Amino acid sequence: MAQRQISYREAVAEAIIEEMTRDDRVFLMGEDIAVVGGAFGATKGILAAFGEERVMDTPISETAIVGYAVGAAMTGLRPVVEIMRCDWMTICMDEIVNQAAKMRYFTAGRPEMAMVIRTATEGGIGLGAQHSQSFEAWFAHIPGLKVVMPSTPYDVKGLLKSAIRDPNPVIFMEPIILYGTSGPVPKEDYTIPLGQADVKREGKDATIVCWGAVTSRVMNAAKMLADEGIDTEVIDIRTIRPLDIEAILASVRKTGRLVVAHEANKTGGFGAEIVAQVQEKAFDHLDAPIQRVAANDVLIPINRNLELMVLPREEQVIAGVKAVL
Amino acid sequence: MELTKENLLDMYRQMVTIRLFEQNLMHYAGEGHVPGTGHVSIGEEAIAVGACRALAPQDYIISTHRAHGHLIARGTHIPTMLAEVFGKATGCTGGKGGSMHLSDFDRNILGTNGIVGGGINIAGGVGLTIKMKKTDQVSVCFFGDGASNRGVFHEGFNLASLWKIPVVYICTNNQYAMTLPLCKNCANQDISARATAYDMPGLRVDGTDVIAVYEAVSGALERARQGGGPSLIEIIAFRLQGHSMRMDAMPDGSSYRPEGEIADWWDNKDPIKIFREKLYGLGYLDDEVAATLEAAAKKDIDEATEFALNSPEPKPESIYEWIYA
Ligand SMILES: Cc1ncc(C[n+]2csc(CCOP(=O)(O)OP(=O)(O)O)c2C)c(N)n1
Ligand SMILES: [Mg+2]
């Protein structure tokens, strides 16, 4: 029998429903998440299943959404809150960086800080420069946070369930362009550990490390390269922090060549961190300078053609691989 | 609950203990024993003691950078607290949090905060837990007049009132935010009046009157416990010292405060002096009893100082503790 196919947004909702069923300390808060089921439809049906005591629409108050989650987590609940767009995480950075990430430290490890902040991230759907950014590098910079960005329906279900069970604050980033994409997702309970990369394609000539929406474009590029006889290995890190650097190093030791692809802006992007770690830990295995494929260092325009130019596509990935061969 | 003679004398002892703790701290800061900084609440002791006396043991406290009094009034182990302020291994955060990051989970003091206003949303989340678990608790949030001008005040207050969350907001209006006087901080200097905007009761209380503080907080706690939602109590206080141990004057050493203000406040607004006179008037206190209580307070502080001074430095490997669970 063919495996059940569901969309990324359905996989998000299914993970939440399973975890809310499993643990009555889990609850949801966010803007437009309850009655309409989320601005992008990822929490549809959850209000009907659990009622408004555990699924709460909030006012447009990003600092309160995250700050209340901190207080609720400190007193034993497990909030899963939504900040509608990653761009607006800027508004609650104090609550994320100075409060959530540091509360265990300031209280000698007394409370569990089990909380998840879900947010729609990255671009590609014409929403423009305040609705298309992806700040995984900022969050990954902060000790105390975990950062996850799944690229498939299968991964999002397994990783979100792990994030909800994790006793630390987790920034859970869902690429907006992926919500409508479908893939095989088991109906049963399964989890994917945070901090475990996934080899999405095995190959021997070069390694491409990626995460988020660019992953599917990287996979397309890998197929196109295969047609030319170039065999690439694609590693989707899935979790930005903690980073599965061992998986990357193992691949680089095998291929000797590395391209890092992500959708966020190139300068100061998380790709830079991976490049730095690889040269620190596997310099002798590298046969060519590492290449980065990322958004140009510009704002994201709404015009379809311009947006396509800015965000990394198959072409740039192919060029990146050819540059390291 | 009517306060008994024993209660009142104990409250006097607590106020004296807080005063001595902080005067002692200023002395040892001068000797280089306090890393960073610390903020004393000299002149605000009646607020800590009146409010904490009103709390039930199961109630929670979320506090600010100026919080020594709140912990002492709640019965926190003073040696552990002083050791923390000195940055010692025996401190409540192993010497890594200091004066601005104190906590005492055994007494439901979930933490003080180095971010002005940082506790306002957290306290709302603590109240949300209480509401969701339907426990007989209240979340009490201390903050200052300066914090009332942060955006989190608006977001946190609106949500707490909207959801009828059991929180008591206690705004210690000591008429200064660092160097800036109230008239340059608040467009409407009646902070309690803002409660109306959130459809919650707003009270104004004299912070030199420990019994008035006790009564106002008792009323607000009762209301919250009955499901009536949050209240704002603005307590007018008189900051008898500088902002912090680092910031006491203008760069040239002159004062940013009106001439004579501090001397006038010491003469007329010292809550300990005022309470002492009241207790003499009631016939509860005489020189002999006062001397006994003051000696007991001094003994506590001397013992704490011994403990803190003789405590070990934190171990180097402790830097990795309590970041992730
Ligand atoms: C968000 C933020 N801004 C500025 C500061 C620096 N700062 C520390 S205490 C303080 C004044 C706070 O005034 P208030 O809330 O009235 O409390 P008080 O110090 O008078 O007790 C300031 C500006 C800070 N710690 N956090
Ligand atoms: Mg003040």
Side-chain angles (χ1 to χ4, degrees):
Chain A
M1 200 182 86
Q3 254 212 327
R4 181 185 67 139
Q5 302 265 324
I6 62 171
S7 69
Y8 191 98
R9 61 163 64 84
E10 287 165 340
V12 169
E14 189 166 287
I16 294 172
I17 288 172
E18 287 182 12
E19 292 308 300
M20 288 182 76
T21 307
R22 186 177 169 270
D23 185 345
D24 62 13
R25 296 170 300 173
V26 179
F27 72 98
L28 302 193
M29 251 187 334
E31 294 162 18
D32 301 288
I33 59 137
V35 176
V36 301
F40 311 110
T43 50
K44 223 168 112 191
I46 304 181
L47 174 67
F50 297 100
E52 55 189 22
E53 290 217 338
R54 289 176 70 193
V55 187
M56 294 173 257
D57 277 323
T58 66
I60 305 163
S61 298
E62 284 77 13
T63 78
I65 293 168
V66 179
Y68 274 54
V70 171
M74 289 181 83
T75 42
L77 297 182
R78 301 175 87 88
V80 177
V81 302
E82 179 175 309
I83 297 297
M84 198 183 286
R85 269 292 328 178
C86 178
D87 310 72
W88 313 326
M89 299 282 258
T90 53
I91 294 156
C92 44
M93 280 303 257
D94 174 54
E95 287 69 23
I96 297 169
V97 173
N98 294 318
Q99 311 298 341
K102 294 180 176 49
M103 277 306 137
R104 267 180 56 77
Y105 191 80
F106 289 151
T107 53
R110 283 297 287 270
E112 283 202 339
M113 286 302 299
M115 56 182 281
V116 177
I117 307 174
R118 294 181 40 251
T119 191
T121 194
E122 301 189 322
I125 62 169
L127 285 173
Q130 292 174 335
H131 292 65
S132 303
Q133 300 165 92
S134 194
F135 300 139
E136 68 272 20
W138 291 1
F139 300 120
H141 188 61
I142 306 301
L145 298 179
K146 294 189 177 182
V147 187
V148 184
M149 204 196 299
S151 71
T152 67
Y154 177 86
D155 287 351
V156 82
K157 179 175 170 184
L159 285 163
L160 183 51
K161 285 164 68 76
S162 289
I164 295 172
R165 293 182 198 181
D166 197 277
N168 301 287
V170 180
I171 309 295
F172 198 86
M173 306 176 75
E174 301 163 8
I176 197 164
I177 201 171
L178 298 182
Y179 279 125
T181 59
S182 290
V185 178
K187 225 179 151 50
E188 54 277 8
D189 173 56
Y190 67 92
T191 57
I192 298 171
L194 305 188
Q196 194 178 88
D198 183 36
V199 179
K200 290 247 178 325
R201 184 186 196 282
E202 285 191 35
K204 58 177 184 351
D205 296 335
T207 303
I208 312 174
V209 168
C210 56
W211 58 93
V214 83
T215 304
S216 66
R217 286 166 243 157
V218 168
M219 291 300 282
N220 295 340
K223 274 191 213 106
M224 291 149 90
L225 286 161
D227 292 342
E228 298 181 38
I230 300 167
D231 185 21
T232 51
E233 178 145 298
V234 178
I235 298 184
D236 175 0
I237 57 172
R238 303 192 293 196
T239 302
I240 317 297
R241 184 177 184 135
L243 176 66
D244 188 356
I245 187 68
E246 289 310 321
I248 297 172
L249 295 174
S251 180
V252 168
R253 286 188 197 111
K254 180 171 77 174
T255 64
R257 300 165 198 279
L258 177 63
V259 174
V260 183
H262 59 70
E263 211 186 90
N265 290 118
K266 190 171 191 174
T267 298
F270 194 71
E273 174 64 26
I274 293 177
V275 172
Q277 289 200 32
V278 169
Q279 74 81 25
E280 281 167 3
K281 293 167 184 160
F283 186 77
D284 292 342
H285 294 270
L286 288 170
D287 295 322
I290 304 168
Q291 289 290 311
R292 282 180 292 163
V293 175
N296 294 338
D297 283 327
V298 296
L299 309 195
I300 303 197
I302 58 112
N303 176 279
R304 181 80 193 136
N305 292 327
L306 295 183
E307 186 182 34
L308 279 174
M309 265 178 65
V310 171
L311 300 180
R313 296 165 318 242
E314 287 80 353
E315 268 173 73
Q316 284 92 343
V317 176
I318 290 169
V321 170
K322 290 190 171 166
V324 301
L325 286 176
Chain B
M1 192 192 79
E2 199 59 32
L3 293 167
T4 63
K5 175 183 168 186
E6 282 66 38
N7 293 151
L8 294 172
L9 290 179
D10 194 49
M11 288 161 73
Y12 178 75
R13 182 192 58 80
Q14 286 184 315
M15 287 169 66
V16 171
T17 306
I18 297 169
R19 173 76 49 98
L20 290 178
F21 178 90
E22 295 192 321
Q23 284 175 335
N24 185 59
L25 197 62
M26 289 173 73
H27 169 76
Y28 281 98
E31 309 252 293
H33 288 278
V34 178
T37 189
H39 307 80
V40 297
S41 61
I42 291 173
E44 303 171 18
E45 295 89 346
I47 301 173
V49 170
C52 290
R53 181 64 54 161
L55 299 188
Q58 71 272 19
D59 294 338
Y60 288 111
I61 290 181
I62 300 286
S63 187
T64 69
H65 57 286
R66 201 179 298 283
H68 306 138
H70 304 145
L71 278 91
I72 293 173
R74 187 76 163 158
T76 291
H77 185 238
I78 298 172
T80 308
M81 205 179 128
L82 188 61
E84 184 57 44
V85 181
F86 282 7
K88 296 296 188 77
T90 52
C92 55
T93 314
K96 299 188 291 182
S99 166
M100 288 189 284
H101 304 294
L102 301 165
S103 66
D104 181 357
F105 268 60
D106 295 333
R107 287 173 189 75
N108 280 357
I109 301 173
L110 300 185
T112 64
N113 213 302
I115 305 296
V116 171
I120 295 179
N121 280 319
I122 297 175
V126 170
L128 181 60
T129 299
I130 297 168
K131 189 182 162 209
M132 290 178 73
K133 289 191 183 164
K134 302 188 173 64
T135 55
D136 184 33
Q137 293 171 288
V138 179
S139 170
V140 174
C141 178
F142 290 99
F143 61 96
D145 49 296
S148 76
N149 297 320
R150 287 216 39 227
V152 291
F153 175 98
H154 171 67
E155 293 195 11
F157 271 55
N158 180 59
L159 190 55
S161 185
L162 186 71
W163 288 356
K164 290 262 178 295
I165 287 182
V167 193
V168 174
Y169 296 110
I170 301 178
C171 176
T172 299
N173 178 356
N174 62 7
Q175 308 176 55
Y176 283 93
M178 275 180 73
T179 64
L180 216 60
L182 193 66
C183 61
K184 291 188 178 172
N185 254 317
C186 292
N188 178 352
Q189 292 175 39
D190 182 349
I191 295 170
S192 69
R194 299 193 201 173
T196 317
Y198 304 102
D199 195 25
M200 68 171 82
L203 280 76
R204 217 170 205 221
V205 180
D206 174 2
T208 66
D209 182 346
V210 67
I211 297 170
V213 172
Y214 168 81
E215 284 169 353
V217 175
S218 297
L221 286 167
E222 186 56 21
R223 182 186 152 85
R225 252 186 258 287
Q226 301 306 324
S231 309
L232 167 60
I233 306 175
E234 176 192 11
I235 307 186
I236 309 298
F238 300 85
R239 202 186 78 196
L240 297 177
Q241 298 288 345
H243 166 68
S244 73
M245 293 177 204
R246 295 170 66 90
M247 174 107 215
D248 204 5
M250 305 275 274
D252 65 5
S254 66
S255 179
Y256 52 83
R257 297 175 67 161
E259 208 185 318
E261 180 182 81
I262 295 178
D264 174 47
W265 284 7
W266 272 107
D267 284 345
N268 300 303
K269 301 293 184 187
D270 174 2
I272 294 185
K273 194 168 144 191
I274 290 170
F275 192 36
R276 188 186 165 101
E277 278 162 17
K278 181 169 187 117
L279 292 173
Y280 269 78
L282 287 167
Y284 291 172
L285 199 63
D286 55 31
D287 291 351
E288 197 182 325
V289 178
T292 312
L293 293 175
E294 284 156 17
K298 184 164 184 313
K299 185 162 170 284
D300 284 349
I301 300 308
D302 288 346
E303 284 173 6
T305 307
E306 270 299 299
F307 175 81
L309 287 174
N310 294 320
S311 286
E313 288 285 308
K315 292 212 165 68
E317 59 269 26
S318 76
I319 59 173
Y320 298 106
E321 272 176 335
W322 307 325
I323 295 174
Y324 290 100

